[in-house]
């Protein structure tokens, strides 16, 4: 399967609205060796939810990976920064 890892972890925090969310994407092999896109999301500090998409080709998985990442970035999700680390600590979630 893929030599470079496909993994993305992004957060969206707005303390005024008591919002502290995360979204993680990764392309991983399924039990049968086919590519799958694993999506995890929820409140920072929780296990959250998970959805797995199975594909026949890695190109299909990468296409969905990029599309979901693009949508989340438009909604305000961004890579974890020092500021979000402090916010998570303020929520006692880090």
């Amino acid at each position: 399967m893929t030599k470079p890892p496909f993994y993305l972890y992004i957060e969206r925090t707005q303390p005024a609205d008591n919002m502290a969310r995360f979204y993680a994407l990764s392309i991983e092999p399924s039990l049968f060796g086919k590519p799958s896109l694993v999506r995890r999301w929820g409140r920072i500090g929780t296990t959250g939810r998970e959805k797995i998409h199975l594909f026949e080709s890695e190109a299909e998985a990468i296409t969905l990976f990029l599309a979901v990442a693009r949508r989340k970035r438009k909604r305000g999700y961004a890579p974890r920064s020092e500021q979000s680390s402090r916010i998570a600590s303020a929520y006692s979630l880090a």
Side-chain angles (χ1 to χ4, degrees), residues 18-94:
N18 194 24
M19 180 190 300
R21 298 179 183 163
F22 75 91
Y23 207 93
L25 296 165
S26 62
I27 296 178
E28 303 172 9
S30 69
L31 181 61
F32 302 106
K34 302 251 180 167
S36 65
L37 175 64
V38 180
R39 298 164 60 175
R40 295 178 186 92
W41 69 92
R43 185 166 177 85
I44 295 171
T46 67
T47 305
R49 300 185 68 188
E50 179 178 276
K51 183 171 185 172
I52 300 172
H53 302 269
L54 302 173
F55 297 96
E56 290 297 318
S57 75
E58 192 171 33
E60 294 172 315
I62 293 169
T63 300
L64 183 58
F65 180 99
L66 295 172
V68 171
R70 197 174 302 116
R71 281 195 309 261
K72 294 300 171 185
R73 291 299 303 258
K74 283 183 181 178
R75 292 191 52 101
Y77 284 82
R80 187 174 193 163
S81 65
E82 285 302 314
Q83 180 182 3
S84 64
S85 296
R86 286 192 300 272
I87 291 169
S89 295
Y91 285 113
S92 299
L93 301 172

